[in-house]
Amino acid sequence: MPELPEVEALAGFLRQRLVERPAAGGGAAVVAEVGVGAINVLKTFDPPPSALAGLPVTGVARHGKWLDLDLDGLHLVVHLSRAGWLRWSEQLPTTPVRPGKSPLALRVLFDDGEDGRPGFDLTEQGTHKRLAVHVVRDPRQVAAIASLGPDPLDDSFDLTALQALLAGSRQQVKGLLREQSVLAGVGNAYSDEVLHAARISPFAVSGKLDDDEVSRLYASLKDVLASAVAAATGKPASQLKDAKRAGMRVHGRTGEACPVCGDVVREVSFADRSLQYCATCQTGGKPLADRRTSKFLR
Ligand SMILES: [Zn+2]
């Protein structure tokens, strides 16, 4: 699932191709056609996606893990969710997009003034369809965007801001970091990475972290996310998934050696997912108990 760094890089990638367009001599690309392959990804019906045809792309932004294409005042807002992805092509197929069982959910074709068919497909694998597309006049009309917490890479997100969102919380820090209304853009992968870098147990209670731990968490949030953004920036959309995986030190690396201390990376269930951590770096050498069986007792 793409998180803050990948969506940030995707936004930059699209900005370069659709807004700045140095290769095309500058100037905004204009939407030629929007094809819907999976009607259930559309979460709004007015204005319809067809209203985007003829509009220039005036900006591309990120809100948390949401991608926002500004089409001269109308916004195409996308949440890729767990299995969704954006595939860019300079030459999209000419076959019409029809609702069906293919992973193709939405196709946006741009007019390049010549014979090319540049644009992107939004695709989603698997049976759990969670990719979400909104066409709105203001991105804040999407409730999940309006309720987003602060962006950890925003300059205004300082140590005091982190202290404020941790204070008094009885939630485990792993869960808190993933909560989009608390902090925008961090998901399952980067929360594992940030906690590993900060040497904090994923099960630590947020409100009970001491000053030292909060400072380490703050520094790790900024460092891990900023380095991931730097690593992803400039990469084509097709390489972002691999770049994300390559940058992970503990997430998705169960059984491998911790790059810091050499201990084995362990896995434990958390909510509906699993998390990875290093016991030596994060939990004083003591493996965490798997709460899969006991979560109903709380
Ligand atoms: Zn370690």
Side-chain angles (χ1 to χ4, degrees):
M1 171 188 203
E3 299 180 27
L4 184 158
E6 293 77 40
V7 181
E8 181 73 24
L10 269 180
F13 175 88
L14 291 176
R15 204 175 293 128
Q16 206 186 30
R17 269 154 195 82
L18 300 172
V19 186
E20 292 149 9
R21 297 211 298 165
V30 172
V31 176
E33 200 183 310
V34 179
V36 180
I39 200 83
N40 59 339
V41 304
L42 281 173
K43 306 304 174 192
T44 53
F45 59 91
D46 180 34
S50 57
L52 303 176
L55 299 180
V57 188
T58 47
V60 184
R62 174 186 64 80
H63 313 285
K65 299 185 235 176
W66 292 78
L67 191 62
D68 171 11
L69 272 77
D70 186 347
L71 301 147
D72 204 21
L74 276 186
H75 293 255
L76 178 70
V77 184
V78 175
H79 192 268
L80 292 167
S81 198
R82 280 191 201 175
W85 196 241
L86 183 148
R87 291 172 204 274
W88 176 266
S89 172
E90 296 296 338
Q91 202 65 44
L92 284 169
T94 49
T95 43
V97 179
R98 286 204 189 87
K101 286 200 189 310
S102 94
L104 175 58
L106 193 87
R107 171 170 292 165
V108 183
L109 174 70
F110 297 91
D111 185 1
D112 74 344
E114 291 172 32
D115 298 339
R117 291 176 57 85
F120 61 81
D121 284 346
L122 296 178
T123 61
E124 188 172 33
Q125 304 291 341
T127 48
H128 292 281
K129 299 300 183 191
R130 302 172 69 156
L131 176 73
V133 175
H134 300 246
V135 180
V136 287
R137 290 181 176 83
D138 180 342
R140 293 183 63 84
Q141 287 176 306
V142 179
I145 292 181
S147 67
L148 282 175
D151 193 289
L153 286 188
D154 201 286
D155 287 341
S156 65
F157 186 75
D158 55 14
L159 181 61
T160 317
L162 177 63
Q163 282 163 338
L165 60 86
L166 295 168
S169 169
R170 295 170 61 184
Q171 203 177 348
Q172 289 166 330
V173 64
K174 166 74 181 176
L176 184 113
L177 290 178
R178 294 191 337 180
E179 205 148 295
Q180 300 304 298
S181 60
V182 172
L183 196 63
V186 177
N188 202 37
Y190 287 101
S191 55
D192 279 356
E193 293 300 305
V194 166
L195 288 168
H196 175 254
R199 306 195 312 277
I200 293 173
S201 166
F203 288 169
V205 175
S206 305
K208 290 187 175 167
L209 296 177
D210 64 29
D211 289 351
D212 213 39
E213 290 170 319
V214 176
S215 298
R216 294 205 308 264
L217 183 58
Y218 179 75
S220 300
L221 258 174
K222 292 274 188 186
D223 283 358
V224 167
L225 294 173
S227 333
V229 168
T233 300
K235 289 210 163 54
S238 57
Q239 289 177 20
L240 289 172
K241 278 192 213 173
D242 286 342
K244 179 188 178 191
R245 221 171 283 132
M248 296 287 144
R249 307 175 89 182
V250 289
H251 182 77
R253 300 205 177 275
T254 307
E256 295 180 34
C258 167
V260 174
C261 72
D263 191 3
V264 63
V265 173
R266 291 177 163 84
E267 176 174 307
V268 69
S269 70
F270 183 82
D272 57 337
R273 313 288 293 276
S274 58
L275 65 80
Q276 284 85 38
Y277 69 103
C278 168
T280 296
C281 290
Q282 297 174 257
T283 58
K286 206 172 139 217
L288 295 166
D290 201 313
R291 305 192 175 187
R292 210 174 323 227
T293 47
S294 59
K295 69 178 177 184
F296 303 107
L297 303 175
R298 270 189 283 152

